[in-house]
């Protein structure tokens, strides 16, 4: 992508109405554009990052048998009334009437409609287990939407739902998902702690995936030896004795909840008629679990963890482009040639070909946008048939021969 053609421009000043690091840097870099508090749009650079995060999630969830679907955000009042959540969740769910007076809602999660879907296809033990997931926006009436992508009123979620005949089968799958969640988080370069939390309907605890960060809204107590933690909301003598943990060995930290998985048991299947017949012909409710991870919150978290005073430092796996190529001294012909060669060999390049920007402005934008590798083509480097290469997370630049550039990058 040529910077001269890019839809967005970087901003020198921090947005006045944002406090969080992720909102400031992502806005200044042109990754996101604000609609209102808690509602952001993704511009080309931002969408590129989000898509990379989503594709890592897809690869990992597909590998454990998840099948991708795409559900409606629009919700039917009747179905939510059957589980009593229309009233229970009226604080968080946007609910409204159409002009005939009929009630509708916007999905803040999708347990009800997915259970209805499953009841159309699952009738026998032979149909189980199954796992389906989607990546789509959720809406929540969040009273404190002030941390950029960390807490939106409209935000993206990957939600996976699994359906089982037996508790053992569910327990097995649940552990697989927990393992895969840790791997997803490792791949996007945030290290997470699996954390005991509230909200497991058919288990004592749910599991959260918490990333240590001061901006986080959660307080957790970490057992560093086991790399596990307990959320403050369930932290008491009972949980300590359940886990056989000693208070003295735990460290209190602030953290961001990026994922949360729940054993739902038969709460939804019983209310919505999702049953199967077992080997003996007996009718039983299907046992369910749900698993959420927030790609948008994760993107904000990555920025909170990976930045310096000049901008973002994207991990390579999610960077909008691998290379930020800068041409100086009007050497655009030479720059264009390198840009084309890199693109042809499959390297993702953001090319600063702008003729009306100074070297200083171009370097500042490269640091702000945060691609992992900066390559500069200038009169000085061309005298040595070279370009200058510098990693975003290192201080020193080095020269590399243009003839060896592709080899170096594809290594
Ligand atoms: P929180 O306690 O932070 O409000 P939650 O426990 O209500 O979150 P879940 O229902 O467990 O959230 O949703 C699953 C995942 O979706 C979360 O772990 C998080 O990554 C993401 N998520 C939830 N709410 C938001 C939000 N308002 N903005 C961005 N991401 C969110
Ligand atoms: Mg949660």
């Amino acid at each position: 992508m040529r910077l001269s053609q890019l839809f967005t421009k970087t901003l020198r000043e921090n947005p006045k109405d944002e406090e969080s690091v992720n909102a400031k840097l992502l806005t200044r870099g042109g990754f996101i554009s604000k609609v209102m508090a808690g509602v952001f749009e993704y511009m080309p650079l931002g969408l590129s990052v989000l898509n990379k995060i989503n594709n890592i999630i897809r690869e990992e969830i597909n590998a454990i048998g998840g099948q991708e679907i795409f559900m409606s955000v629009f919700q039917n009042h009747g179905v939510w009334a059957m589980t009593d959540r229309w009233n229970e969740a009226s604080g968080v769910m946007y609910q409204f009437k159409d002009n005939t007076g009929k009630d509708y809602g916007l999905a803040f999660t999708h347990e009800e409609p997915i259970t209805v879907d499953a009841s159309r296809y699952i009738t026998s033990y032979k149909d189980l287990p199954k796992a389906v997931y989607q990546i789509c926006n959720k809406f929540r009436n969040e009273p404190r939407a002030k941390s950029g992508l960390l807490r939106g009123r409209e935000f993206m979620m990957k939600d996976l739902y699994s359906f089982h005949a037996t508790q053992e089968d569910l327990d097995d799958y649940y552990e697989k998902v927990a393992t895969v969640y840790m791997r997803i988080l490792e791949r996007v370069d945030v290290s997470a702690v699996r954390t005991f939390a509230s909200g497991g309907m058919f288990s004592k605890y749910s599991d959260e995936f918490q990333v240590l960060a001061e901006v986080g809204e959660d307080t957790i107590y970490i057992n560093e030896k086991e790399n596990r933690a307990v959320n403050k909301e369930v932290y008491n003598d009972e949980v300590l004795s359940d886990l056989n943990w000693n208070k003295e060995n735990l460290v209190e930290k602030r953290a961001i909840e990026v994922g949360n998985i729940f054993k739902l048991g038969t709460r939804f299947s019983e209310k919505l008629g999702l049953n199967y017949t077992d080997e003996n012909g007996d009718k039983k409710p299907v046992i369910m679990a749900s698993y959420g991870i927030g790609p948008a919150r994760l993107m904000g978290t990555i920025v909170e963890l990976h930045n310096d005073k000049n901008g973002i430092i994207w991990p390579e796996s999610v960077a909008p482009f691998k290379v930020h190529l800068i041409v100086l001294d009007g050497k655009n012909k030479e720059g264009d040639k390198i840009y084309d060669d890199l693109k042809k060999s499959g390297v993702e390049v953001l090319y600063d070909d702008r003729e009306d920007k100074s070297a200083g402005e171009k370097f500042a934008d490269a640091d702000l946008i945060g691609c992992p590798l900066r390559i500069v083509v200038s009169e000085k480097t061309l005298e040595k048939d070279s370009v200058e290469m510098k990693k975003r997370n290192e201080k020193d630049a080095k020269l590399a021969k243009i003839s060896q550039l592709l080899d170096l990058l594809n290594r």
Side-chain angles (χ1 to χ4, degrees), residues 140 142 149-153 155-157 208 218 257-260 262 292-294 296-297:
R140 291 186 185 181
E142 298 275 3
L149 294 188
L150 299 184
R151 185 169 295 285
R153 295 200 160 93
F155 61 92
M156 198 167 269
M157 196 196 286
E208 290 175 343
D218 288 39
E257 178 209 314
V258 294
N260 200 180
F262 304 87
I293 199 167
R297 183 177 285 181

